[in-house]
Amino acid sequence: MAELQEVQITEEKPLLPGQTPEMAKTHSVETPYGSVTFTVYGTPKPKRPAILTYHDVGLNYKSCFQPLFQFGDMQEIIQNFVRVHVDAPGMEEGAPVFPLGYQYPSLDQLADMIPCILQYLNFSTIIGVGVGAGAYILSRYALTGLTSSLPEMILGHLFSQEELSGNSELVQKYRNIITHAPNLENIELYWNSNNRRDLNLERGGAVTFKCPVMLVVGDQAPHEDAVVECNSKLDPTQTSFLKMADSGGQPQLTQPGKLTEAFKYFLQGMGYMASSCMTRLSRSRTASLTSAASIDGNRSRSRTLSQSSESGTLPSGPPGHTMEVSC
């Protein structure tokens, strides 16, 4: 997505007493359906959405919305939100006439341009204000589920809502990595292909894993329930399940030490690295293991073993048991 132009203008409107002129920046970005122009007023406010407007047929953003946003009582609102006024293609002031035979985008395609605008501005949420056709475009945009830009959708897949709301350094880091990725178009293709079919796993059924499996999920992960359900469908004699506290959606990033330790236990259960030294988990104040063994082929029982940090390393899960560890 390349910026075609950026100019600074001063909004031409009568000023209220004590009011200073608003500075505006006009941008144009390329989308899969052609170029779209929009004008930004104000600066982004932390943890607040942007107000995004879309005008009706026969108008542009100025003729459709200037009277509203010039209204005296509106000033308190616009001082607290950045505004993005979208002009439909060819409706901006000074726009050239489209060539003969030009195929104008459909309203659905105009709606599909909005994520490109948000991605360019790095805005995650908006409050939409539309009139007529513009209201329909914003409605189509909302109904498609594209309520945020591609980077924000990916972040919502990677991190929990608690993590996103906290806007930790880790979230900020990966937001920056994804937003400024030089291969963002390729990432979008991978994202669009991420339609996973049910594996139809069934405990004791024909479709199940015949090999040892370790499932790991954070206690606040966005897909925690799905992982727990998957664990319930696997053979408990072949499965290790690790639910990790204070790790969110990406435990390999937030708790690499604990995950490494758990991986060592998993490998030991497979007969490897028997002499490997355990460190981080063994230094924890307490650790709990819950193992379940099959009884009579149908019933299972569970027992909980607690071991203090002073007792040294924790026992590895023996073959034929499901191990659940809370760290």
Side-chain angles (χ1 to χ4, degrees):
M1 260 158 241
E3 179 187 354
L4 299 184
Q5 72 173 28
E6 179 178 328
V7 297
Q8 280 197 343
I9 62 173
T10 301
E11 187 175 12
E12 297 177 358
K13 66 180 183 181
L15 297 179
L16 299 174
Q19 184 182 354
T20 57
E22 276 194 296
M23 296 303 295
K25 286 188 176 181
T26 298
H27 311 261
S28 293
V29 296
E30 287 296 332
T31 78
Y33 307 105
S35 176
V36 61
T37 299
F38 52 94
T39 304
V40 180
Y41 287 86
T43 56
K45 306 298 189 293
K47 298 184 179 180
R48 289 195 179 183
I51 294 176
L52 184 143
T53 71
Y54 215 114
H55 59 84
D56 202 356
V57 174
L59 306 174
N60 59 26
Y61 92 83
K62 285 189 176 181
S63 58
C64 189
F65 291 108
Q66 250 189 8
L68 173 64
F69 286 97
Q70 287 180 0
F71 192 71
D73 290 346
M74 179 63 74
Q75 304 313 303
E76 182 180 4
I77 294 177
I78 67 175
Q79 289 171 7
N80 288 280
F81 293 89
V82 62
R83 307 192 325 268
V84 181
H85 297 289
V86 180
D87 278 316
M91 303 299 115
E92 68 273 15
E93 291 185 346
V97 177
F98 289 120
L100 187 64
Y102 171 79
Q103 181 65 47
Y104 200 82
S106 67
L107 294 185
D108 288 0
Q109 291 171 335
L110 293 177
D112 289 339
M113 291 180 172
I114 295 176
C116 301
I117 297 172
L118 300 185
Q119 179 181 320
Y120 174 81
L121 295 172
N122 194 25
F123 289 171
S124 58
T125 56
I126 63 168
I127 298 173
V129 181
V131 175
Y136 178 87
I137 291 168
L138 292 177
S139 298
R140 290 297 305 175
Y141 165 74
L143 288 173
T144 60
L146 297 176
T147 54
S148 59
S149 63
L150 176 65
E152 292 301 323
M153 288 190 289
I154 294 175
L155 288 170
H157 171 78
L158 297 177
F159 297 101
S160 67
Q161 285 301 314
E162 290 81 0
E163 291 174 291
L164 294 174
S165 298
N167 198 28
S168 65
E169 289 186 7
L170 182 66
V171 171
Q172 294 180 40
K173 174 184 176 181
Y174 278 85
R175 177 179 284 112
N176 183 66
I177 289 174
I178 297 170
T179 300
H180 298 98
N183 64 333
L184 191 59
E185 289 80 4
N186 296 349
I187 294 175
E188 183 174 8
L189 293 174
Y190 189 15
W191 170 262
N192 290 336
S193 71
N194 188 29
N195 296 317
R196 287 177 264 187
R197 294 180 293 122
D198 195 325
L199 294 174
N200 296 316
L201 296 170
E202 183 180 355
R203 179 173 291 184
V207 181
T208 189
F209 292 113
K210 307 298 183 183
C211 59
V213 176
M214 182 172 76
L215 293 176
V216 181
V217 66
D219 63 348
Q220 295 180 344
H223 308 294
E224 177 183 355
D225 292 343
V227 179
V228 172
E229 181 183 0
C230 180
N231 178 61
S232 70
K233 297 180 178 181
L234 299 181
D235 182 353
T237 67
Q238 294 282 352
T239 307
S240 297
F241 176 54
L242 173 60
K243 187 175 181 180
M244 190 173 292
D246 302 322
S247 63
Q250 301 294 307
Q252 79 281 7
L253 302 178
T254 57
Q255 299 284 1
K258 290 182 179 180
L259 184 55
T260 298
E261 203 79 0
F263 190 37
K264 287 182 182 180
Y265 285 125
F266 179 67
L267 293 174
Q268 284 185 337
M270 296 174 65
Y272 304 108
M273 299 180 63
S275 61
S276 177
C277 178
M278 299 297 142
T279 55
R280 297 179 67 91
L281 289 182
S282 63
R283 288 201 303 264
S284 300
R285 184 173 58 187
T286 59
S288 299
L289 292 175
T290 301
S291 57
S294 176
I295 297 179
D296 299 330
N298 294 319
R299 301 179 59 189
S300 64
R301 64 184 180 89
S302 64
R303 53 193 170 97
T304 300
L305 307 177
S306 298
Q307 188 165 346
S308 66
S309 59
E310 290 77 18
S311 63
T313 60
L314 297 174
S316 60
H321 286 168
T322 294
M323 178 176 68
E324 181 174 332
V325 184
S326 297
C327 306

